[in-house]
Amino acid sequence: MRNRRKSMGLSVQKLGEAMGVNWSTLRKWEDGSVGSCRPAHARKLSRFLAGELDETIRRMSSTPLSRNEEKRSQALPLLECMERISGLYRICEGNPTLESAMVSRLNEALHRSAERIRNYTGQSKEKED
């Protein structure tokens, strides 16, 4: 499903809109964390996978983005990262050792990233002065 969506150049938001579901629901279908859906959604999903909705989706995708959609699409890499983290955490759920290790490593990575950002913004300000 993800490969088909990406091959069409669709964001999760756009395909979710075409399927009549929230983007996070679509993401869960893609990553397999939700194994079933309503019959009406299952029919649409089957039609999407068979290529029967391609023209409809292309028409929807060619409409200009609203300001809010544009902001959301710019945030997509971060949202996708957060979804992957959420999926990994669900896998670790129930195993305190794995949960703790994951949270610890994420906190370390966030700390390093924050330091880099602070250093970068500090360097940018110094160049302005």
Side-chain angles (χ1 to χ4, degrees):
M1 184 171 154
R2 178 178 289 132
N3 291 338
R4 176 116 172 77
R5 174 182 61 78
K6 287 186 174 188
S7 73
M8 291 184 70
L10 296 170
S11 68
V12 179
Q13 288 85 353
K14 278 292 183 187
L15 183 56
E17 182 182 324
M19 300 292 289
V21 298
N22 188 290
W23 70 268
S24 64
T25 299
L26 187 73
R27 176 69 71 203
K28 290 173 188 172
W29 290 347
E30 284 187 350
D31 71 18
S33 62
V34 173
S36 63
C37 58
R38 294 181 182 161
H41 291 139
R43 283 190 294 277
K44 270 189 180 177
L45 182 57
S46 178
R47 291 181 66 208
F48 166 71
L49 292 172
E52 297 172 12
L53 300 177
D54 289 5
E55 191 56 40
T56 303
I57 292 170
R58 281 191 190 100
R59 276 195 304 269
M60 287 180 72
S61 297
S62 66
T63 58
L65 295 176
S66 71
R67 195 171 251 176
N68 285 339
E69 288 174 319
E70 192 172 325
K71 285 181 183 177
R72 270 187 257 129
S73 70
Q74 291 169 350
L76 189 57
L78 179 58
L79 293 173
E80 287 176 347
C81 180
M82 291 169 66
E83 284 290 327
R84 285 194 307 272
I85 290 168
S86 178
L88 286 172
Y89 190 77
R90 282 193 299 273
I91 291 169
C92 296
E93 206 168 28
N95 185 325
T97 304
L98 287 177
E99 286 180 21
S100 176
M102 182 180 170
V103 169
S104 176
R105 288 189 177 113
L106 282 170
N107 281 330
E108 289 170 10
L110 289 169
H111 178 73
R112 285 191 308 270
S113 295
E115 283 299 314
R116 286 186 198 124
I117 290 168
R118 277 193 288 272
N119 290 338
Y120 176 78
T121 56
Q123 291 172 359
S124 297
K125 288 180 183 177
E126 288 174 11
K127 287 179 183 178
E128 291 175 7
D129 294 338

